[in-house]
Amino acid sequence: MEKTLNRIHPVSDPEAVYFLQVSWEKDLSSGFGIILTDGEHAWTGAVSEADISREAADMEMNREKYVEELKQALLQGEESAGKYNFTVSVDEENTQCHFSYERNLRDGSNYRKILAFWTIDNPHILIFLQEDEQCLDSVRSDEENDSVVFRLGSLKLQKVSRPADVVKELIGYCLDCLGGLQVKNEHLQKENERLFCDLSDVEKRLEKCVEAKEELEADLYNRFVLVLNEKKTKIRSLQRLLNEAKESAVDTKCTRDSITTTQMAKVKENDYDGSTEEESENLIQSSLPSVLLKD
Amino acid sequence: LSHVNKVSSVFEDVEFCVMTGTGRYSKSELESRIAECGGSVVQNPGPDTYCVIVGAENVRVKNIIASNRYDVVKAEWLLQCFQSKMLVPWQPAFMIHMSPDTREHFAREYDCYGDSYTADTDVAQLKEVFSRVKDNKKMPLDLIAELEERYSWNSCQLCIFRGNTIYVDYYAVVNKPSTKIHGTRLSIRALELRFYGAKVVPLLEEGVSHVVIGEDHSRIKEMKALRRMFGKKFKIVSELWVTESVKEGISKNENQFLI
């Protein structure tokens, strides 16, 4: 069983305050009970599932949309104030109370548009409504306020013999709600604190991971560069040796060219396919270029 | 040591001086195993000593090192020789100290960190080499960015934001790091940016490439005013730029996320 308790102000007397309790099982569409009180008197009534279907059918309105509209009107309370009108008329002996709820379509100029909205499932309804007086019954024009209202439903409420019990029950309900909300609030606050602590803890840890990653990366790159540069230094020194060897080879060639070309050819040949005796000679020549130059 | 059974002749005619043992093998155990392999052992290194074997360093070892006359080798080398039953070539990792001759020989083969000039390395060896680099200088991010560019590593998933200098809008007052707002999603974004290679800075000044903004847009006007005075303009992007880029593993085009 679920309940809501709201304050409503009837259109006939906006100063007056009534308390409206709506109770239902599972969902509003399967019927609901109503308790209305002004603090002094109380009235009660019920809307059955069949009533809801009938009301929706009378208005040629999609049932789900109608239930949605009921929820807005009866459960939302202050949030939808002004959008819905309530009328409460009590007979002289206080035995019966006529209660109705309507949607206020304030601006008359929106009349057609809003009707079209209601009948969005069936575009023909708009024309139908304009032609058929009976259907327009639930749509009544309020000439005085230049507004249009849409009657959602009305019911007769029976007087409750002991209104004090009803008021007690309502106050009890309110206190229970309040207590429940306080507990929930505390719980949520604690939960929030815990989540915040967890977040900052995780953030700190993440920061450490990021720092460690940055350090590791910087350190590895540093080591990498040092080792890489060692290799480059070696390559440079080998290049230098190679250039020196090339220079000396050129020098050697020049010197030898001036001596005799035939001998040179012989040496060249030996570079690739030399006999053992000649090779040793070659080795001496290439490894001791300075000596040859001095000759 | 006369009672030893000769198992191999790996160390035939090689003279060792074992200074200390390791946690698992005592000095005398090492000595007897040398003898089993045909080697001889002396208690003090002399002119014929091949090398000094050291398990744990102590004062005597330090003195030997200081004399700079002997090669001081880790006991692990010896163990590897026993295991493989051959004379394992010395590698820098084994050397605690090298005599000048050996040092010269190694200098031809290895760089000063012990990485070979000619032999390929592998992960384990490189780790070992890196562990010998004592220079703990940290490389600044822009140098890393340059290096990655040169070797085309910048397509790596961890370098999404490399080269970017980013100011994150989580200070209640622009350019006042003391007014940092804690517990916002932006601080996680900042960490993500850093993790993926960005340089996150606490001051919005010339050189910043991006400003990352969360839900709070109240400081944008001020930042745009600052931007007008900068020669190099930064981009103001929503934090979505970060999350989307991380999600896809590439730096997304900022234009979709401009504010």
Side-chain angles (χ1 to χ4, degrees):
Chain A
M1 177 73 112
E2 289 184 69
K3 295 179 182 184
T4 59
L5 182 62
N6 285 310
R7 245 182 313 221
I8 57 169
H9 305 277
V11 273
S12 52
D13 182 7
E15 295 298 306
V17 177
Y18 285 85
F19 298 95
L20 171 70
Q21 183 191 264
V22 183
S23 53
W24 69 96
E25 297 280 354
K26 278 182 193 164
D27 192 55
L28 209 60
S29 64
S30 51
F32 54 92
I34 279 180
I35 294 175
L36 190 69
T37 175
D38 59 358
E40 199 176 328
H41 307 285
W43 302 273
T44 177
V47 176
S48 69
E49 190 166 7
D51 290 338
I52 293 173
S53 302
R54 192 173 35 77
E55 292 269 11
D58 280 355
M59 278 180 271
E60 298 275 344
M61 194 172 163
N62 178 302
R63 193 175 186 274
E64 276 162 39
K65 263 187 194 152
Y66 176 67
V67 172
E68 228 13 79
E69 204 56 42
L70 280 181
K71 283 183 185 166
Q72 290 271 326
L74 300 175
L75 310 184
Q76 297 290 314
E78 317 278 321
E79 286 169 44
S80 55
K83 252 174 99 182
Y84 297 90
N85 294 342
F86 297 96
T87 51
V88 179
S89 53
V90 185
D91 64 356
E92 276 155 26
E93 294 94 42
N94 266 330
T95 47
Q96 267 201 352
C97 166
H98 199 86
F99 175 63
S100 68
Y101 35 99
E102 315 167 313
R103 171 151 183 182
N104 189 3
L105 312 172
R106 259 185 207 156
D107 189 1
S109 61
N110 278 339
Y111 186 46
R112 278 155 188 267
K113 208 170 99 193
I114 288 157
L115 279 180
F117 160 76
W118 288 122
T119 59
I120 198 146
D121 315 331
N122 188 349
H124 303 295
I125 294 293
L126 182 61
I127 303 153
F128 181 61
L129 274 172
Q130 283 169 336
E131 284 170 357
D132 187 21
E133 291 290 310
Q134 226 190 335
C135 270
L136 274 172
D137 197 28
S138 57
V139 182
R140 127 183 103 74
S141 177
D142 186 339
E143 308 262 317
E144 271 176 58
N145 298 328
D146 187 29
S147 68
V148 174
V149 291
F150 191 88
R151 163 89 40 103
L152 286 169
S154 70
L155 68 157
K156 282 196 176 106
L157 302 175
Q158 298 300 319
K159 187 186 175 181
V160 177
S161 53
R162 299 182 63 179
D165 287 352
V166 171
V167 173
K168 263 190 212 166
E169 198 200 312
L170 293 185
I171 293 176
Y173 168 73
C174 288
L175 290 176
D176 288 348
C177 275
L178 195 67
L181 286 174
Q182 251 160 10
V183 169
K184 201 174 171 186
N185 197 20
E186 260 171 50
H187 171 75
L188 287 176
Q189 241 156 15
K190 269 190 195 145
E191 185 80 344
N192 221 8
E193 252 168 59
R194 193 183 60 77
L195 287 175
F196 192 79
C197 280
D198 284 358
L199 177 70
S200 54
D201 180 53
V202 167
E203 194 187 312
K204 271 182 212 130
R205 281 158 196 268
L206 183 62
E207 181 161 11
K208 272 194 186 150
C209 292
V210 171
E211 269 167 18
K213 185 249 175 187
E214 284 176 338
E215 269 174 39
L216 176 72
E217 195 174 60
D219 183 50
L220 279 179
Y221 272 120
N222 183 42
R223 289 167 200 254
F224 168 77
V225 164
L226 289 172
V227 174
L228 189 67
N229 284 342
E230 281 293 312
K231 296 294 161 305
K232 294 192 174 177
T233 311
K234 181 73 172 182
I235 292 172
R236 273 199 302 275
S237 78
L238 289 176
Q239 264 173 345
R240 206 184 55 238
L241 278 177
L242 186 67
N243 287 338
E244 276 172 17
K246 267 185 191 159
E247 271 167 35
S248 57
V250 171
D251 289 349
T252 312
K253 202 179 164 197
C254 292
T255 324
R256 291 184 61 81
D257 272 354
S258 61
I259 300 167
T260 158
T261 38
T262 45
Q263 204 182 336
M264 190 63 216
K266 214 177 172 185
V267 172
K268 254 191 167 173
E269 202 178 72
N270 287 339
D271 271 347
Y272 302 101
D273 180 30
S275 70
T276 39
E277 296 152 22
E278 300 272 351
E279 211 170 39
S280 54
E281 189 195 347
N282 263 348
L283 271 171
I284 293 160
Q285 282 168 356
S286 56
S287 65
L288 299 168
S290 47
V291 179
L292 269 172
L293 278 170
K294 276 177 201 158
D295 280 354
Chain B
L1 294 173
S2 50
H3 58 277
V4 293
N5 306 316
K6 205 165 153 190
V7 225
S8 78
S9 48
V10 173
F11 293 150
E12 200 69 66
D13 296 328
V14 185
E15 184 185 291
F16 292 96
C17 170
V18 180
M19 283 274 165
T20 53
T22 67
R24 282 180 64 192
Y25 299 93
S26 68
K27 171 171 141 67
S28 56
E29 266 178 287
L30 292 175
E31 283 173 338
S32 58
R33 289 194 68 179
I34 288 172
E36 280 169 7
C37 294
S40 62
V41 177
V42 292
Q43 291 311 309
N44 289 301
D48 295 328
T49 305
Y50 178 60
C51 69
V52 176
I53 302 289
V54 164
E57 290 191 43
N58 61 15
V59 185
R60 247 184 105 207
V61 175
K62 285 206 179 86
N63 288 336
I64 295 286
I65 291 173
S67 76
N68 199 22
R69 274 160 59 199
Y70 302 100
D71 292 318
V72 183
V73 186
K74 286 184 185 168
E76 279 109 66
W77 170 74
L78 206 59
L79 297 174
Q80 281 198 18
C81 293
F82 294 148
Q83 204 181 12
S84 60
K85 296 198 167 44
M86 57 176 275
L87 207 64
V88 175
W90 280 346
Q91 278 165 29
F94 296 130
M95 310 309 287
I96 293 174
H97 179 78
M98 287 177 278
S99 65
D101 277 0
T102 316
R103 188 174 296 277
E104 202 180 299
H105 164 76
F106 268 84
R108 278 194 292 270
E109 295 292 319
Y110 299 94
D111 66 19
C112 63
Y113 306 107
D115 186 43
S116 167
Y117 285 122
T118 47
D120 288 345
T121 188
D122 58 29
V123 175
Q125 278 184 45
L126 197 62
K127 263 191 188 167
E128 221 270 324
V129 167
F130 277 7
S131 74
R132 244 173 309 198
V133 178
K134 291 287 182 274
D135 181 359
N136 282 327
K137 204 171 60 206
K138 295 279 178 297
M139 182 166 285
L141 278 170
D142 36 356
L143 274 184
I144 291 182
E146 247 174 63
L147 205 63
E148 283 173 346
E149 187 115 356
R150 192 181 341 146
Y151 294 101
S152 298
W153 288 329
N154 40 10
S155 59
C156 158
Q157 293 250 328
L158 289 175
C159 321
I160 299 173
F161 303 117
R162 188 72 84 206
N164 292 332
T165 306
I166 299 176
Y167 175 85
V168 179
D169 177 43
Y170 52 19
Y171 304 114
V173 181
V174 176
N175 276 353
K176 268 241 173 85
S178 57
T179 60
K180 186 171 172 185
I181 308 159
H182 288 277
T184 65
R185 285 205 307 258
L186 278 182
S187 41
I188 304 290
R189 291 297 94 77
L191 289 175
E192 266 182 302
L193 283 167
R194 279 170 62 190
F195 186 79
Y196 292 102
K199 183 173 173 186
V200 174
V201 292
L203 289 176
L204 182 52
E205 41 190 17
E206 189 86 47
V208 165
S209 61
H210 296 80
V211 169
V212 172
I213 302 274
E215 282 163 341
D216 183 1
H217 286 190
S218 61
R219 289 172 290 272
I220 290 182
K221 238 180 143 182
E222 195 184 340
M223 296 196 256
K224 285 190 173 165
L226 263 174
R227 181 165 65 180
R228 277 191 283 276
M229 305 193 300
F230 288 177
K232 189 175 166 267
K233 310 291 184 196
F234 53 83
K235 284 175 174 155
I236 302 179
V237 291
S238 111
E239 59 170 322
L240 275 178
W241 175 62
V242 183
T243 43
E244 293 286 310
S245 297
V246 169
K247 203 164 97 189
E248 296 194 19
I250 48 150
S251 180
K252 300 271 285 179
N253 188 337
E254 299 93 338
N255 294 339
Q256 293 170 254
F257 304 96
L258 289 181
I259 290 174

